[in-house]
Amino acid sequence: MTDPIEHAFSCEGPLAQAIDSYRPRDGQVAMAKAVDEAMRTYGLLVAEAGTGTGKTFAYLVPALMSGAKVIVSTGTKTLQDQLFDRDIPTVRSALGVPVSVALLKGRANYVCHYHLDRTRTEGRFTTRDGARQLHAIAAFALRTRTGDKSELDEVPEDASIWGQVTSTRENCLGSDCPRYKDCFVMEARRRAMEADVVVVNHHLFFADVVLRDEGAGELLPASNAVILDEAHQLPETASLFFGESVSTAQLIELARDSRVASIAYARDFAPLPEAAQALEKAARDLRMECGDSPGRVPVKAMASNAAFMQAVDGVGKAIGVLIERLHMQAERHADLDNCRERAYALAERLQRWRDGDEKDRVRWVEVFSQSAALNSTPLSVASIFRKQLDAGQRAWIFTSATLSVGNDFSHFCSRMGLEDAATARWQSPFDFERQALLYLPRDMPDPNTPGYTPAVVSTALPLIRAAGGRTFCLFTSLRAMREAHRLLEEAFAAQGLNFPLLAQGQGSRSELLERFRSLGNAVLVGSHSFWEGVDVRGDALSLVVIDRIPFSPPDDPVLAARIEALERGGGSGFLDYQLPEAAITLKQGVGRLIRDETDRGVMVLCDPRLVSRGYGRRILASLPAMRKTRERAEAEAFFKAPV
């Protein structure tokens, strides 16, 4: 009898019948069978599938054929929409299975009728476009079935008005809301509870995990299987959600909401707006004491500043007074009660941060241009996440193009508590030896010298000319990216190069990518936003230049604390943590070049440590098997070679 999975992927199978460009791939079939086995046995599977393997179909086919309740989580809302709008309908139609599917995002993605009505009444706008955008959102709320803001192209997803017409976990009134019956979020959750397959993103997935841990309810339904795509992002996302934060922005928002609620529902109680104003001032004083330089700062460095600690205490006292005032008026309206609950929660988090005596967590401060946050992050999420794996009988599948270093999955598995998981790796079916050339330039200076970025630009320029533009220049820091953009601008003008020059920050990532594709000969300079989740197929991208091995900044307080903990236990912070993290990140960046079996291009890795250091060779061994050269002329000639 033919294996149902093998038949689904065969030349005569339903996928081949339904999809014109479909061709069987050995790695895809093998991965699908491994996913099927994990689902049938409620197993743990960590699966790395190289670019072009077709991992999405490899997990969707067994998931949709299983008859099980499945949660599929991916890294971004863009990929989430792609799964829901394109990939799942294609597979479902091809297989002919009666599977119901629901899309669920965080509440900030849905219009909130209550906050929309309140904003229209108050008329508070932070930009000139606010009134026009509010009118468009109000009209959208009347005609939409889902309330998902991504469906309204007229208002950019990053427009500030969205913050006024959507809810957060903190300011949602829940069942006390007068528009509860019309709530888009509750309707989306209802559909998710009833669906066979629910598509979420990692942020929502971990928000649900935290709620369950706190005994505060749930966002997602129970399931037989969880499939986590783009799983290389999970350790950092989990750290974010298993940590705690109190920001001056949250405090100021609470103060403003308390003041608005007091004017609307407790106008006769003057002490409440006074307390709200005092909290806002205390929050601004705290931001001032954090200094002018954005960045992450260890708590020890901040705690030595008496004025900073006094400002923290000042916030604690101000929020205590606000709680007292809100408590006296909370019964008058749900908004006042909501502000009281938010104030309690922030006060408790602030006190825990102030006490800071937990050995398995690191405290730190992050300073932004307009705000600051007091953070507490677990040194490891493995034991916390392991509780989820052991909580009930269900299958867990973790997949990405970049989970291993060489053939070793131990770094990812140890970070997520997956030491007992089955692991499997399938190479990309692309012919990298033929399609790509890896150029490791000679005579590059040390990456830590001031002249390094100019040297990277000098190395890139003749190749950009030879490639006819069609280039990504990827940098490990915003500072280097900005310097490179300026140097390329000057060089293009001096050398008469007319290639369009795009830079991260000139628009949204999707807008820049669309421009890059349509121009056909552009050069895009980017940082972390363009290292992963970016897919440019065909001739528009033929050259990728990466400035250096993407080691995390050694002065990052969370990294420093994790390294210290590793070394206390007899490990090596560099070999056991920094190196595998950098190798996985570099694999993501290198993965931008070859996205299709007809793509061709040159990958330039400028960092001389890849050749001069033993660990560099270990990193290179983790990359696709491209032909290598150290000669610029050979790299330039690659663009002229016949296909």
Side-chain angles (χ1 to χ4, degrees):
M1 182 177 174
T2 305
D3 182 287
I5 297 294
E6 288 187 359
H7 174 68
F9 288 97
S10 69
C11 293
E12 300 79 26
L15 293 176
Q17 299 296 320
I19 303 168
D20 290 340
S21 59
Y22 178 80
R23 281 196 301 276
R25 304 170 211 176
D26 292 342
Q28 187 178 48
V29 178
M31 179 178 167
K33 293 176 77 171
V35 171
D36 181 57
E37 170 71 11
M39 292 188 68
R40 285 189 291 103
T41 60
Y42 299 106
L44 299 178
L45 173 65
V46 176
E48 179 178 281
T51 306
T53 304
K55 65 179 169 65
T56 304
F57 281 21
Y59 65 71
L60 285 180
V61 167
L64 269 59
M65 290 175 65
S66 69
K69 178 89 172 187
V70 181
I71 291 173
V72 180
S73 179
T74 191
T76 64
K77 287 180 287 187
T78 301
L79 291 172
Q80 196 182 352
D81 288 336
Q82 178 181 311
L83 271 170
F84 181 76
D85 294 330
R86 190 180 74 187
D87 296 334
I88 292 178
T90 298
V91 174
R92 180 174 57 183
S93 174
L95 297 177
V97 288
V99 174
S100 58
V101 186
L103 178 70
L104 188 60
K105 301 179 181 178
R107 63 171 67 250
N109 292 279
Y110 300 95
V111 175
C112 169
H113 290 294
Y114 178 72
H115 288 286
L116 174 61
D117 292 344
R118 198 172 76 164
T119 300
R120 295 177 74 187
T121 301
E122 293 168 1
R124 293 183 295 125
F125 305 113
T126 56
T127 67
R128 289 183 179 179
D129 292 332
R132 178 185 58 78
Q133 292 171 340
L134 181 65
H135 179 76
I137 293 169
F140 170 69
L142 293 174
R143 68 176 184 269
T144 177
R145 187 178 71 90
T146 67
D148 186 341
K149 68 180 187 181
S150 67
E151 297 176 4
L152 182 60
D153 296 334
E154 190 177 338
V155 180
E157 284 202 51
D158 58 355
S160 59
I161 190 66
W162 285 118
Q164 296 173 243
V165 299
T166 56
S167 67
T168 65
R169 180 185 167 191
E170 288 78 17
N171 68 20
C172 174
L173 300 181
S175 57
D176 291 330
C177 179
R179 300 295 302 272
Y180 183 74
K181 290 182 179 179
D182 306 321
C183 179
F184 289 121
V185 173
M186 296 309 299
E187 176 60 20
R189 288 184 187 167
R190 185 191 62 75
R191 288 195 295 269
M193 293 296 172
E194 296 173 353
D196 300 309
V197 177
V198 184
V199 182
V200 302
N201 57 61
H202 296 337
H203 282 75
L204 183 62
F205 177 79
F206 280 107
D208 176 70
V209 168
V210 170
L211 273 182
R212 289 173 189 263
D213 280 354
E214 293 174 351
E218 58 190 36
L219 301 174
L220 306 181
S223 65
N224 305 112
V226 176
I227 300 172
L228 296 140
D229 201 349
E230 301 299 313
H232 62 279
Q233 299 177 5
L234 294 177
E236 288 309 312
T237 307
S239 293
L240 174 68
F241 279 90
F242 292 141
E244 285 192 334
S245 177
V246 178
S247 71
T248 57
Q250 288 173 313
L251 294 164
I252 290 170
E253 184 180 30
L254 170 64
R256 289 177 175 172
D257 287 351
S258 298
R259 190 164 57 244
V260 168
S262 72
I263 292 169
Y265 310 113
R267 188 182 292 271
D268 56 346
F269 188 66
L272 181 49
E274 290 170 3
Q277 187 172 351
L279 176 60
E280 182 168 348
K281 181 182 183 304
R284 295 191 183 282
D285 289 345
L286 175 58
R287 170 61 190 89
M288 271 182 56
E289 294 302 335
C290 291
D292 297 328
S293 301
R296 295 178 160 199
V297 186
V299 71
K300 290 179 181 176
M302 299 301 292
S304 62
N305 177 353
F308 169 79
M309 295 310 298
Q310 287 172 4
V312 173
D313 291 340
V315 169
K317 291 174 183 175
I319 201 168
V321 172
L322 181 62
I323 288 171
E324 290 177 9
R325 304 293 188 259
L326 285 165
H327 187 73
M328 297 167 70
Q329 304 295 313
E331 292 184 358
R332 299 179 72 168
H333 194 272
D335 276 357
L336 292 165
D337 191 41
N338 173 261
C339 288
R340 179 186 62 169
E341 291 180 3
R342 289 163 59 189
Y344 269 124
L346 284 170
E348 288 175 353
R349 288 205 297 255
L350 181 66
Q351 188 60 49
R352 283 194 292 270
W353 189 90
R354 187 73 172 83
D355 294 342
D357 55 357
E358 297 175 90
K359 295 180 181 178
D360 58 349
R361 302 177 78 86
V362 55
R363 292 183 299 147
W364 50 288
V365 179
E366 186 159 19
V367 183
F368 305 96
S369 58
Q370 301 295 324
S371 64
L374 314 180
N375 302 289
S376 171
T377 303
L379 291 175
S380 170
V381 300
S383 60
I384 307 172
F385 189 65
R386 186 71 213 190
K387 294 176 185 176
Q388 304 303 316
L389 303 177
D390 297 336
Q393 193 177 48
R394 60 178 173 177
W396 292 82
I397 292 97
F398 303 80
T399 184
S400 169
T402 55
L403 292 175
S404 70
V405 180
N407 290 310
D408 185 2
F409 288 87
S410 59
H411 177 67
F412 174 78
C413 289
S414 65
R415 291 197 70 188
M416 295 301 295
L418 298 169
E419 287 85 355
D420 58 337
T423 61
R425 179 171 179 255
W426 295 277
Q427 297 274 17
S428 169
F430 298 152
D431 185 356
F432 280 90
E433 282 278 353
R434 179 185 61 82
Q435 293 178 249
L437 179 70
L438 174 59
Y439 173 40
L440 302 164
R442 299 182 188 275
D443 303 321
M444 288 297 294
D446 186 281
N448 297 313
T449 57
Y452 185 71
T453 299
V456 170
V457 172
S458 295
T459 297
L461 274 167
L463 295 170
I464 292 172
R465 185 192 291 272
R470 306 185 298 157
T471 301
F472 272 9
C473 292
L474 302 178
F475 292 83
T476 54
S477 72
L478 289 171
R479 181 176 180 181
M481 182 201 80
R482 292 181 186 119
E483 182 182 5
H485 179 252
R486 176 181 58 80
L487 292 170
L488 284 169
E489 224 172 18
E490 293 170 356
F492 281 16
Q495 298 179 25
L497 299 177
N498 295 318
F499 307 125
L501 185 59
L502 311 177
Q504 181 178 317
Q506 292 177 343
S508 70
R509 186 172 77 163
S510 57
E511 289 169 344
L512 284 173
L513 283 172
E514 187 55 42
R515 288 175 62 195
F516 183 88
R517 292 188 188 101
S518 62
L519 286 165
N521 67 337
V523 176
L524 189 150
V525 186
S527 185
H528 297 287
S529 291
F530 289 88
W531 279 71
E532 62 177 279
V534 173
D535 191 8
V536 179
R537 303 184 182 207
D539 294 338
L541 179 61
S542 296
L543 173 66
V544 174
V545 180
I546 292 178
D547 69 333
R548 64 176 78 199
I549 301 170
F551 288 117
S552 298
D555 57 350
D556 180 273
V558 178
L559 175 63
R562 285 176 176 160
I563 288 173
E564 184 181 337
L566 260 174
E567 294 179 344
R568 277 200 308 267
S572 166
F574 180 74
L575 293 176
D576 298 334
Y577 193 91
Q578 289 174 279
L579 183 61
E581 282 288 297
I584 288 171
T585 304
L586 186 61
K587 283 171 72 174
Q588 281 289 334
V590 170
R592 296 317 98 209
L593 181 63
I594 303 299
R595 306 298 300 174
D596 194 272
E597 60 187 17
T598 60
D599 285 355
R600 294 182 77 255
V602 174
M603 170 61 60
V604 186
L605 301 181
C606 296
D607 197 323
R609 295 172 295 183
L610 288 164
V611 176
S612 64
R613 304 288 176 88
Y615 64 76
R617 290 188 285 277
R618 183 177 163 191
I619 292 174
L620 287 176
S622 296
L623 302 180
M626 295 174 277
R627 187 161 52 90
K628 299 179 181 65
T629 185
R630 305 213 62 195
E631 306 302 329
R632 190 182 85 184
E634 189 175 351
E636 291 179 16
F638 184 88
F639 297 108
K640 300 173 185 175
V643 178

